Amino acid sequence: MVIFRQFETLLKHLYFLKKTTNGLGFGFVPTMGALHEGHLSLIRASRRECGVTICSIFVNPAQFGDSNDLEEYPKPIEQDIELLVKNACDILFLPSVEEVYPVDYVNQCYDLNGLDLRFEGKSRPGHFQGVCNVIYRFLSLIKPDFAYFGQKDYQQTVVIKRLTEVAQLNTIIRVVPIVRESNGLAMSSRNIRLSASGRNKASFILEGLEILQKNFRVQGISKAIDLVSWHIASFEGAELDYLIVADSTSLKEVKDEEHTDLVALIAVNYEGVHLLDNMILSQ
Ligand code: AMP
């Protein structure tokens, strides 16, 4: 695996690869590091589809509201490099903050049609604009054929698709299924902040989504949401931040159970950790 820290050298290398290989697709996997199986599933999806896989590790200050959260974000870089090598990633891009946001960088505000203001955006103002700023920098310079994002952050995938439209980026966005721990908890770099027993019990989030899936057609969306709220509330210290049934493309809230293409989005605060999950609801 080759490591680059500057756009200039990375882009030179990619230019050389494009010229010397016969139309190999370039796949890009943006991450903030502290890699786990969820991230690695994106690397594998890229490797299946593309000739060259580029992973970036960049803890993006623009998407953190709270500077403590940013400072505390885990940065096990040696371990990450080892995992990427094991998973046959071709290129790691490891830029500094100054490289991504040079002094003359002007922060952009994208028209995300309100997608950035709902759900996760409510409690984290500016978060999705921060995500879009860094992803635009990466996609507009690297110009990968495909970029891979996890369904785990469902709202983010919808925001990124919208960004590619409004900013006229040519990269195709692929969404890769959620990878879960053995008890069903969606893998996340934040899970290490849970106690061992909390991490074990946190399977109640997926159980909640399963209760919703099982009941919403017969009992109605609103009653099914109540059932899930009671389930979550029965776990001490668990606080439901939101549980929404929405149209899977527009993310507009839906109250009518006859609507097709639904997604359920949930966020729970547990032991001081904000845990996200979601489920595409089947008919
Ligand atoms: P992060 O490093 O948290 O910014 O995540 C980088 C990418 O990995 C994002 O596209 C995430 O949605 C994705 N990801 C994180 N956790 C999972 C998971 N459990 N399953 C699938 N993808 C994931």
Side-chain angles (χ1 to χ4, degrees):
M1 184 174 72
V2 206
I3 303 179
F4 293 97
R5 293 172 196 275
Q6 271 142 5
F7 281 112
E8 195 184 341
T9 45
L10 170 68
L11 297 182
K12 270 191 186 148
H13 185 71
L14 293 179
Y15 180 74
F16 166 78
L17 282 179
K18 254 259 135 92
K19 272 187 104 172
T20 53
T21 55
N22 211 352
L24 287 184
F26 286 5
F28 178 55
V29 180
T31 81
M32 298 206 297
L35 302 180
H36 52 64
E37 273 303 309
H39 299 109
L40 299 174
S41 73
L42 306 185
I43 300 285
R44 291 194 280 265
S46 170
R47 290 199 56 232
R48 279 195 297 275
E49 191 164 29
C50 301
V52 176
T53 292
I54 308 143
C55 174
S56 65
I57 296 182
F58 178 64
V59 183
N60 177 29
Q63 69 188 72
F64 285 81
D66 178 348
S67 59
N68 275 347
D69 208 20
L70 172 63
E71 266 152 41
E72 279 173 21
Y73 203 85
K75 297 176 189 76
I77 190 63
E78 296 305 324
Q79 189 186 307
D80 285 350
I81 291 175
E82 210 179 304
L83 284 170
L84 289 172
V85 170
K86 264 194 195 149
N87 284 273
C89 178
D90 301 297
I91 297 172
L92 169 60
F93 185 44
L94 204 55
S96 65
V97 174
E98 295 71 31
E99 180 66 15
V100 176
Y101 301 117
V103 274
D104 56 354
Y105 180 75
V106 180
N107 213 33
Q108 301 297 309
C109 185
Y110 297 96
D111 171 12
L112 301 174
N113 203 14
L115 285 167
D116 52 327
L117 306 175
R118 279 171 236 164
F119 320 135
E120 281 309 290
K122 255 190 194 163
S123 53
R124 304 170 79 185
H127 168 73
F128 287 113
Q129 289 291 344
V131 170
C132 286
N133 271 265
V134 76
I135 295 298
Y136 180 82
R137 286 284 285 155
F138 286 159
L139 297 189
S140 62
L141 289 167
I142 297 171
K143 298 188 172 57
D145 300 287
F146 299 90
Y148 298 81
F149 293 85
Q151 187 198 322
K152 149 87 184 358
D153 298 285
Y154 192 90
Q155 186 177 3
Q156 174 170 277
T157 64
V158 179
V159 164
I160 298 293
K161 284 179 188 164
R162 166 86 185 171
L163 171 72
T164 60
E165 283 166 26
V166 294
Q168 296 177 344
L169 294 163
N170 291 323
T171 302
I172 295 168
I173 303 302
R174 294 280 195 236
V175 179
V176 180
I178 302 174
V179 177
R180 299 180 178 282
E181 301 194 358
S182 55
N183 66 348
L185 173 65
M187 282 192 183
S188 162
S189 313
R190 293 175 181 159
N191 292 356
I192 51 167
R193 294 201 222 146
L194 293 167
S195 68
S197 113
R199 194 162 172 165
N200 216 3
K201 284 188 202 145
S203 55
F204 61 74
I205 301 176
L206 178 61
E207 285 159 16
L209 290 170
E210 286 166 347
I211 291 171
L212 187 80
Q213 168 69 78
K214 205 167 146 216
N215 290 285
F216 82 101
R217 292 272 179 223
V218 182
Q219 306 213 30
I221 290 176
S222 156
K223 178 79 177 104
I225 288 179
D226 286 345
L227 292 176
V228 182
S229 307
W230 293 328
H231 180 69
I232 305 282
S234 70
F235 288 84
E236 201 187 321
E239 182 213 322
L240 182 61
D241 182 9
Y242 59 79
L243 170 59
I244 309 282
V245 174
D247 178 88
S248 59
T249 311
S250 70
L251 286 194
K252 291 212 169 95
E253 190 170 356
V254 172
K255 305 244 185 221
D256 163 22
E257 42 283 354
E258 297 309 318
H259 191 101
T260 50
D261 302 323
L262 292 173
V263 62
L265 305 168
I266 190 168
V268 175
N269 295 319
Y270 189 47
E271 295 188 336
V273 188
H274 188 65
L275 299 169
L276 295 187
D277 207 337
N278 64 79
M279 184 181 274
I280 304 283
L281 300 175
S282 53
Q283 295 300 305

